[in-house]
Amino acid sequence: NEMTSRTNDGRYKCKCCKATYKHKGNLWRHLKEECGLQPSHQCQFCHYQSKRKDVMRKHLVLVHRII
């Protein structure tokens, strides 16, 4: 794929933003849900924003203690 490459230590690298991932699936998720996109999830309790719903859920649990 022209959007990806491998680092010297075997990690998968995004050619757009240089983010690296150990697993190819994580890179594909990055390309689909994160790379070049604006955050689409806004915390209802603070100014935190996330591009991914699962990351927002983790923020709510860890920061605001909401389950």
Side-chain angles (χ1 to χ4, degrees):
N1 184 323
E2 71 268 1
M3 296 299 293
T4 65
S5 64
R6 298 292 288 266
T7 62
N8 290 338
D9 63 353
R11 294 175 65 86
Y12 295 91
K13 180 171 68 173
C14 175
K15 288 187 177 179
C16 292
C17 68
K18 309 300 184 215
T20 64
Y21 299 90
K22 183 177 181 180
H23 302 286
K24 193 173 189 176
N26 291 343
L27 174 61
W28 289 116
R29 179 180 63 201
H30 163 78
L31 291 170
K32 180 181 171 189
E33 300 178 10
E34 297 178 45
C35 191
L37 300 176
Q38 293 296 316
S40 58
H41 302 281
Q42 171 69 52
C43 179
Q44 59 188 345
F45 303 105
C46 71
H47 295 290
Y48 180 79
Q49 295 179 326
S50 174
K51 296 176 183 179
R52 291 181 20 212
K53 188 175 183 178
D54 62 313
V55 174
M56 179 57 69
R57 279 193 218 114
K58 187 174 183 178
H59 165 80
L60 290 171
V61 170
L62 295 175
V63 175
H64 302 295
R65 305 290 188 226
I66 296 171
I67 299 175

